[in-house]
Every structure is written in structure tokens, then in C-alpha cells.
Amino acid sequence: MTAEDDAEVFQVLAAQLENEGSLSTPSPSDSELHELDPNVVPADVRAALEAILLVASDPVAPTVLAQLLEVSVETVDALCEYLTDSYAQEERGFTINRVAGGYRYQTSDAQAPYVERFVLEGQATRLSAAALETLAIVAYKQPVSRAQISSIRGVNVDSVARTLQQRGYIEEVGRDSGPGNAAMYGTTTRFLERIGLDSLRDLPNLSDFVPDAEVVETLEVVLRGASEAAEFRDTDGSAPDLSSPT
Amino acid sequence: MTAEDDAEVFQVLAAQLENEGSLSTPSPSDSELHELDPNVVPADVRAALEAILLVASDPVAPTVLAQLLEVSVETVDALCEYLTDSYAQEERGFTINRVAGGYRYQTSDAQAPYVERFVLEGQATRLSAAALETLAIVAYKQPVSRAQISSIRGVNVDSVARTLQQRGYIEEVGRDSGPGNAAMYGTTTRFLERIGLDSLRDLPNLSDFVPDAEVVETLEVVLRGASEAAEFRDTDGSAPDLSSPT
Amino acid sequence: MPYDVQTDVFEGPFDLLLRLILQQEVDIYEVSLSHIVDAYLAEMDRIIVVTEGESSPANRVNLELATEFLLIAATLVELKTRRLLPDEVDGDLDDELGIWEERDLLLARLLECKTFKGAAVAMRQLAHRASFGYPRAVGPDEKYLSLAPDLLKGLSIQDISEAFLRATAPKPVVRVDLGHLAPITASVTDAMFELIDELPRLGKTTFRQLTGGLVDRIQVVVRFLAVLELFKQGHIELDQPERFGDITLVWTGNENELLLPIGGVSYDG
């Protein structure tokens, strides 16, 4: 490659920059070329944001970042979004993610296989179906007691609730005022980090999971089924044969 | 950013290209102008290196990196050097440093004032009750693993232990010889200094410790009410499960 | 150590019931009691196979699942048989309504269970997606360590000792709670066995006589619960001719029948 080639590339970029005001196409990219408008956000603020997030061990709230960097929360949000995009474009091994109410550095998804080889402990253990269902109930119904969870799941949930508490996904958030003062449970920040959500508001709508009419009908029909079947058999006059369809 | 700025950046790059011959990008469609020779090191190895260093809490030896990335130690060294240069060029808030026989991410010196502010103002200034209990358990039971602390406290202590470790109050003092080689923790001299102890032997002997009236009363209630429960606890260290009469 | 209850077969009786019902993608006349019972029995066999291969904690849990599952199976069979019985229900509107109520309740519970199953699937996807990104949680370099506020400021050695005792001592709230609950839960079963031992010999008695020798109110309450449970299971007849009058108990059961003393009774707070 010669300097002439580079010059050519540059001409293309400069023209694009003038026409569109941004270099958003997957063209030859240099990170220095995709910069936020330096009049709005000085480069050192961007670098400062990177530095702070690098030393934070938990997600940092945008308000905290705004205060430290002496810019608005909107600027913080825009900056983080910009950095996320540019890291992706530069195929970096890391990204900035918004989770559990703040921003944090994390490895990019594509690098997971390498990171897994390196990270021996602290790997997220797989959640069992029982644990996930219990978590879902706590997430949507919090504060909720173990008895309430049991009644929904139809099984005793004591051991699974204890496991979830030990892993730090749920915690006791209070006591029921009724008889027995049952412990009431809620989800933790750690839970949000685990499922990668910014806040509980970002949970999918529970109404999305309500079984559709067809399922409801099937259930109704089966629960009602025997009686109608019996009537049918009665008119038939034959002895009810319970093992095969009439 | 203006086209003039870009032109300047380009001049630098072009000059570098001529002098060092290191910008070997073969065509404008290649995603990176600053790329190592793609025939030698694929982009995903570079990204994997970034990802591993991002999550590493201690400097990672080049030999370990070489093994994980399946490249030579020389390539690892060259890659780290290349990344350090490119981060500097991009005015990133972080850099890769070689310390204590390994590589790690560090904040760039220029951002020190921001990092200092974050360390001073952006974090908790008091130990949480959970952290204090965890610290106390380490102080009395050292060496102790996180799993052991968890089982005493009944909740996950990973993040609390991490905070205590980062603040220099506890440290890894060895590895368990059992399966999994769990890290064992102990308190640091910093802890002794800050709490005003000459040595761990000066920690109050717990048998000398007389609980106040309230504690005694609570214990009495407990012992009266749940002597069976106490037996249960002794065997597995967890809260008794008496919720169902089976 | 914590363990996760997981069998390949199912995660609870509702799961099974839902699956069995939803698999019946046939018209209603093909829904047969014996098919459902057969399917239940097949699942039972599989549970037992799983149980035999497992260590003891899993054993206990599988037994729990099997028991709960039996309860649901019984509910369903009861529902259906009562509807199949010729015309007996006609006479009693209350019974009729009771069945409707029971069925609607079961339907509502199944729907709620299914809803959260869907939510759990979505949660698994979220967790899966999130599991690829490993967070950085390294903290500041050691050169910044001296700047960090001293978290131990103002703490004394005594504070550390007290924190240790707090951490290792029984958790007062929980313990007191269980202290109250334990005798109740343990004793209902015991009281039932006492009654099963006593009642067949007495034949007919009154609740006052049964509780005459008891000192603590809680013991009376527990006996009362045991009596209700035996009534529910159809082993005794109860009669109370006048309000606040004596309750008479008549043993109608067979003491050789093995009882399931829980019958879904849970006093868990």
C-alpha cells in the first residue's frame, strides 16, 4: 500500500464527512475519524469517561458520571452510546453496556469463548428451569412470599428460593404484616446484571406470556371435558368406556 | 471534527506508513488503518487479547496469553505494544501496561484527576453491614474461602469480598488443597493498621465477649422455640426447613 | 450445599398436568380418564427410576414432587369422576357450584403457572444473551488506593467482634418465627396419628373429651386442625347440633388404610 492509496481513501472520507456530517458507513475507518463533535464534548471528557468506567467495579450511574465529568446526563448517555458504536466498529474486545442502572465495561460477545477459557471462577452457573420460574415470579410479583411462589408453581420452592438467595439474585425485602410474618422476597441488582437489564421496567410485559385463547380453550375443554363426554355417552345408551373414545 | 483535522491525521498516518511500513492495510475496505499485518495476527486475536485483559484482576503473564490465544509470546508482546500505541494515538482513557511480569489495563496518566475524583467521591464511604460481617468472618476464621463465608452468612459474598479486596482489607493468602482449589482469604496489615491492632492475636477472644441483654433474650427465645431446628442447623449449617410437615 | 431440583421429566405437577392437557390435541370426546391416569402412572414410573439413581437429597425432592403430583392427579380424577357419576349432583346446587369453583380455580392456577413459564423462557433468553459479556470488576490501580475513603474509619475492634457474632449467631427474626411454626407443623401430623390411634377404639366421642387433658391452647388448636384434616379425608363424621355446642366425632374410616397426613396442608408463612 502506498501513500497515494491512503490519500485516495482520505478523499472519499472527507467528501462523505462534508456531505453527510458523519462517517457511518462501513468504509475504511480510523477511530480518530469518527469523533464526536469536539466543540460539544472535548476529547478529554471522553477519555475521562473511559478511565472512570475502567476502574469502576460496579455499573456507574449516569448521574455520577455526569457529576464527575461536569457534563449533562444526556451528554453522558450520548458519549456512552458513541463509544459503544465505535468500539463495535473497531472490533474491540470490549464494549460499554448499560445494565442495572449504570454503565460498565464488559467483554464483547464475540470474545466469550476466549474469556471463558481464562475466567475459571465466577462464571455464571446455568440456572435451572425451576430457578428461572421462581425468579420470574419474584421479578414480576415482588414483594412476594415463598408460600405465594409455591402456590403459583404448584411445588414447594423452599430449596430453590434458598439457592437463589445464596447466589444473590433474590433477597428478603421485608416481612408480611399478616400472621406468621412471612419473609417477602424481591430481586437484587445482581439479578439485573445477570439478565443484562437496566431496570425492572425493562422486563418484558407479563401480558405477553398469558396463554393465548387456544390454550385457554383447550384447558377449559379438558377440565370440563369429562362431563360433556358423559352426556354424549348417555345419549348413546352404551356403557361408558373410559379408556377409549366413543 | 473537520475535514482539515482528518487531513492532519492522515498526514501523520501516511508519514508513519512510509517510515515504518507498519500500515499494511491492503485495501480501503479493510476495517482498520492501524492494523497489524493481518496475515500474521487476525483481528479476532487482538480483540480476544483485549477481552481477556479487560476481565483480568491481576496482570496476565505473556505466556498465559500466548497459550490462550494460540500465538507466540512474541506476537503477544507485539500485539500489546501495538495496542498501547494505538490507544495513545486515539487518546483513550486507558492503556495496557506491563507490570509484575504481566500485562494489564490501567487508566492513562492524563486521566488521573478524574480517576482520583471517582475514587474519592464516586464510591461508598462506609462499609455496608454485609461487608462488615464478611470482614469480621475473615478476621476470625482466616484462612477462609468465599464459599465458606457464604455458607455462614447465607448469601453470596462475591461482590462484597471483591470490594474488601480492592480496598486492601483482605487478600488471597493461599489456595484450598481440596477440589476446585478455592482461593483462601485473610486480612491484610492494612486492616490491622486501620483498626488499630498490633496482631491478629489481639482480636478480642469471643468467649470473653458477653452479649448484651437483648442478645441473650433473643437467644433464649430461639433456644426455647427451636431446639429441634438447632440440631438441624448443626448438620448442614443452613436454616432449618420446617415449612412442610412431612 | 444447595442443589437444584431437576428431572428430565417435569418440574412439578402443574407442568405435567399442563403438558398432558395441551398434548391432547383431539376433540373433547377423546379425552379419556384412563388415558390421563395411564400417563400419570407412566410418569410415576419414570420418577421412581430417576429416584433410584440419585443421591439422597434428590431422593427426598423427588418424593416431594411425586406427592404433590399425586395431589393434582387426585384432584383431576376427582373432578372427572364426580362429573361422571349419574345425576347425583342434580340435587345439590352447592355441590354443583363447588365443582365449578374448584374447576375455575384449577384453570386459573394453570393459566398463571403457564404465564410464568413463558416469562421464565424469556428470562432464560435474557440471561443467555447477557452471559456472553463478562464485566470488568477490577477496581482502581493500587496507586489510587490511598485516596479511597477509609471504610474502617470510626470502627473499633469491638465492632468487628460484634459483627462476627452477628454473622455467626442465629438470625433472631427467622429463628423466632420458626420457633413458633415448628410445633404447629410438627404436631398436626402427630395429632392425626394420635387420633387415628384413639378414635377407632372410642368410636364416638366429642371434641371436648378429646381435648380435656390438654393444657396449652396451641395443642387444642393443633388437635382441631387434625380433626378437620381427618374429616376432609373422610375418616370421621363431624356434627355440631347447636352453635358453640359440643362437636361429636364418629370414626367411619378404616384404620388399616394408610393415610397421607399432609393432604396439601402447609402452614408455611
Side-chain angles (χ1 to χ4, degrees):
Chain A
M1 179 168 201
T2 65
E4 282 75 7
D5 287 338
D6 281 347
E8 210 171 300
V9 170
F10 172 68
Q11 290 305 325
V12 174
L13 289 179
Q16 194 189 338
L17 192 65
E18 280 206 318
N19 293 337
E20 299 167 25
S22 75
L23 291 171
S24 53
T25 44
S27 49
S29 62
D30 182 289
S31 60
E32 289 299 309
L33 294 179
H34 308 244
E35 188 58 273
L36 279 190
D37 184 347
N39 299 320
V40 180
V41 182
D44 70 321
V45 172
R46 190 213 58 195
L49 176 73
E50 292 183 319
I52 292 170
L53 289 187
L54 192 85
V55 299
S57 41
D58 292 301
V60 189
T63 46
V64 172
L65 289 169
Q67 210 182 335
L68 291 169
L69 301 172
E70 291 169 4
V71 294
S72 70
V73 171
E74 290 72 33
T75 306
V76 168
D77 288 338
L79 210 46
C80 288
E81 201 179 318
Y82 159 75
L83 283 171
T84 307
D85 288 349
S86 70
Y87 293 155
Q89 212 153 14
E90 294 156 17
E91 294 179 70
R92 296 277 165 213
F94 47 76
T95 182
I96 290 176
N97 196 18
R98 169 119 191 193
V99 73
Y103 292 103
R104 73 171 186 196
Y105 269 112
Q106 64 180 49
T107 58
S108 62
D109 291 355
Q111 304 310 321
Y114 285 102
V115 181
E116 266 161 34
R117 284 156 77 176
F118 176 71
V119 182
L120 293 175
E121 49 183 324
Q123 278 202 53
T125 19
R126 204 180 146 272
L127 289 166
S128 70
L132 279 163
E133 252 178 67
T134 306
L135 262 183
I137 293 168
V138 177
Y140 283 100
K141 300 209 105 170
Q142 55 190 303
V144 65
S145 73
R146 276 181 310 191
Q148 287 167 325
I149 306 167
S150 290
S151 125
I152 293 171
R153 291 202 51 231
V155 287
N156 183 300
V157 298
D158 289 356
S159 75
V160 77
R162 207 180 307 133
T163 306
L164 289 172
Q165 201 176 357
Q166 260 161 13
R167 295 216 193 140
Y169 297 140
I170 66 172
E171 64 188 351
E172 222 184 281
V173 291
R175 291 258 157 192
D176 188 21
S177 54
N181 295 119
M184 305 298 281
Y185 294 89
T187 51
T188 61
T189 326
R190 194 181 163 82
F191 160 77
L192 286 177
E193 288 189 55
R194 178 71 171 83
I195 63 168
L197 289 186
D198 188 28
S199 87
L200 287 172
R201 282 189 299 278
D202 297 329
L203 281 171
N205 274 331
L206 192 58
S207 56
D208 295 348
F209 309 116
V210 172
D212 57 26
E214 204 182 320
V215 172
V216 176
E217 205 180 319
T218 312
L219 285 171
E220 265 184 324
V221 161
V222 170
L223 291 181
R224 200 174 51 219
S227 67
E228 288 173 24
E231 278 165 32
F232 186 85
R233 286 181 202 109
D234 281 351
T235 57
D236 198 48
S238 63
D241 175 4
L242 301 183
S243 62
S244 68
T246 14
Chain B
M1 175 163 232
T2 64
E4 281 76 8
D5 289 333
D6 283 349
E8 214 169 297
V9 170
F10 173 68
Q11 289 306 326
V12 174
L13 291 177
Q16 191 191 341
L17 185 71
E18 281 207 321
N19 296 336
E20 299 165 24
S22 66
L23 287 175
S24 53
T25 318
S27 74
S29 64
D30 197 277
S31 62
E32 295 278 337
L33 286 178
H34 311 242
E35 187 58 276
L36 282 188
D37 184 348
N39 299 321
V40 179
V41 184
D44 70 321
V45 171
R46 189 213 58 195
L49 175 73
E50 290 183 320
I52 291 168
L53 290 184
L54 189 87
V55 295
S57 48
D58 295 304
V60 190
T63 46
V64 173
L65 288 167
Q67 208 180 343
L68 289 167
L69 301 172
E70 292 168 6
V71 295
S72 69
V73 171
E74 289 71 33
T75 307
V76 168
D77 288 336
L79 211 44
C80 287
E81 200 179 321
Y82 158 76
L83 282 172
T84 307
D85 289 349
S86 71
Y87 293 155
Q89 208 155 19
E90 294 157 17
E91 296 178 68
R92 296 276 163 212
F94 45 77
T95 181
I96 290 178
N97 236 348
R98 173 131 191 182
V99 280
Y103 291 104
R104 73 165 179 199
Y105 271 110
Q106 261 178 231
T107 52
S108 60
D109 291 341
Q111 305 310 322
Y114 286 101
V115 176
E116 284 168 14
R117 275 191 73 183
F118 174 72
V119 171
L120 274 169
E121 300 166 27
Q123 304 183 100
T125 51
R126 284 187 52 209
L127 273 189
S128 66
L132 181 58
E133 282 183 22
T134 303
L135 182 60
I137 293 169
V138 176
Y140 275 98
K141 298 226 148 190
Q142 55 190 301
V144 64
S145 72
R146 275 183 306 197
Q148 287 167 333
I149 306 169
S150 287
S151 95
I152 293 171
R153 294 204 46 238
V155 293
N156 184 294
V157 296
D158 288 359
S159 77
V160 168
R162 203 198 303 134
T163 306
L164 291 171
Q165 196 177 4
Q166 278 165 11
R167 296 303 183 91
Y169 300 132
I170 66 171
E171 64 190 349
E172 220 183 286
V173 292
R175 291 264 161 187
D176 187 23
S177 54
N181 295 119
M184 305 299 281
Y185 293 87
T187 49
T188 59
T189 42
R190 183 185 172 84
F191 164 78
L192 290 177
E193 279 166 24
R194 292 301 165 92
I195 204 76
L197 279 183
D198 283 335
S199 92
L200 285 171
R201 280 189 300 278
D202 298 331
L203 272 176
N205 189 332
L206 287 177
S207 58
D208 297 344
F209 185 86
V210 183
D212 59 29
E214 200 187 334
V215 175
V216 173
E217 200 181 322
T218 312
L219 284 171
E220 268 174 8
V221 172
V222 167
L223 295 173
R224 223 172 32 227
S227 52
E228 293 159 39
E231 275 175 43
F232 190 95
R233 278 194 297 281
D234 286 347
T235 55
D236 72 354
S238 68
D241 175 6
L242 296 173
S243 58
S244 73
T246 36
Chain C
M1 278 308 283
Y3 52 86
D4 290 324
V5 185
Q6 228 186 350
T7 68
D8 291 341
V9 191
F10 72 106
E11 282 287 345
F14 279 5
D15 273 15
L16 185 60
L17 188 57
L18 270 171
R19 214 185 62 206
L20 288 174
I21 291 175
L22 296 176
Q23 271 176 357
Q24 304 264 1
E25 290 166 345
V26 287
D27 73 80
I28 55 166
Y29 303 114
E30 290 188 48
V31 175
S32 100
L33 205 58
S34 62
H35 279 168
I36 289 194
V37 171
D38 284 348
Y40 270 134
L41 289 176
E43 293 290 2
M44 282 298 275
D45 284 345
R46 274 149 80 175
I47 294 165
I48 289 160
V49 169
V50 171
T51 303
E52 281 165 354
E54 298 280 358
S55 56
S56 55
N59 249 327
R60 191 175 68 79
V61 172
N62 281 334
L63 194 64
E64 252 173 42
L65 288 176
T67 318
E68 303 243 16
F69 145 88
L70 200 64
L71 184 69
I72 288 284
T75 310
L76 197 70
V77 171
E78 188 189 11
L79 261 171
K80 287 182 173 265
T81 48
R82 279 163 76 176
R83 295 299 289 170
L84 281 168
L85 287 175
D87 290 339
E88 217 180 296
V89 285
D90 279 358
D92 198 336
L93 192 61
D94 282 353
D95 276 3
E96 176 85 347
L97 286 173
I99 292 165
W100 276 86
E101 213 169 84
E102 223 171 299
R103 204 178 63 196
D104 288 348
L105 218 59
L106 188 58
L107 177 66
R109 289 182 69 187
L110 286 171
L111 287 177
E112 191 173 30
C113 182
K114 179 109 174 82
T115 302
F116 280 106
K117 260 176 211 313
V121 170
M123 212 152 268
R124 179 185 294 289
Q125 285 160 353
L126 286 172
H128 179 70
R129 209 187 315 156
S131 71
F132 292 104
Y134 289 79
R136 177 172 172 90
V138 178
D141 314 343
E142 52 282 354
K143 69 177 169 187
Y144 296 106
L145 196 63
S146 58
L147 285 173
D150 181 14
L151 295 177
L152 301 187
K153 198 174 180 183
L155 281 181
S156 68
I157 303 163
Q158 271 64 37
D159 292 326
I160 298 285
S161 304
E162 283 167 28
F164 179 74
L165 287 173
R166 259 203 316 281
T168 52
K171 309 269 184 290
V173 190
V174 174
R175 299 299 155 81
V176 172
D177 218 19
L178 290 165
H180 283 109
L181 287 174
I184 302 175
T185 52
S187 304
V188 173
T189 312
D190 290 350
M192 282 177 71
F193 281 119
E194 286 169 32
L195 291 173
I196 292 163
D197 189 42
E198 217 171 342
L199 286 173
R201 274 184 288 121
L202 294 171
K204 182 177 175 176
T205 184
T206 66
F207 187 70
R208 203 176 294 277
Q209 280 175 317
L210 275 179
T211 54
L214 300 178
V215 184
D216 286 343
R217 181 183 296 177
I218 188 72
Q219 289 179 289
V220 180
V221 172
V222 163
R223 271 220 160 179
F224 185 68
L225 290 172
V227 165
L228 288 182
E229 187 61 20
L230 288 175
F231 174 71
K232 190 178 154 199
Q233 295 187 9
H235 295 285
I236 56 171
E237 288 283 346
L238 289 179
D239 193 31
Q240 187 178 30
E242 50 186 316
R243 246 203 279 182
F244 302 117
D246 272 357
I247 302 166
T248 28
L249 293 85
V250 180
W251 178 258
T252 59
N254 178 358
E255 63 268 39
N256 297 323
E257 276 177 27
L258 187 65
L259 293 169
L260 277 179
I262 42 163
V265 181
S266 172
Y267 299 99
D268 183 21

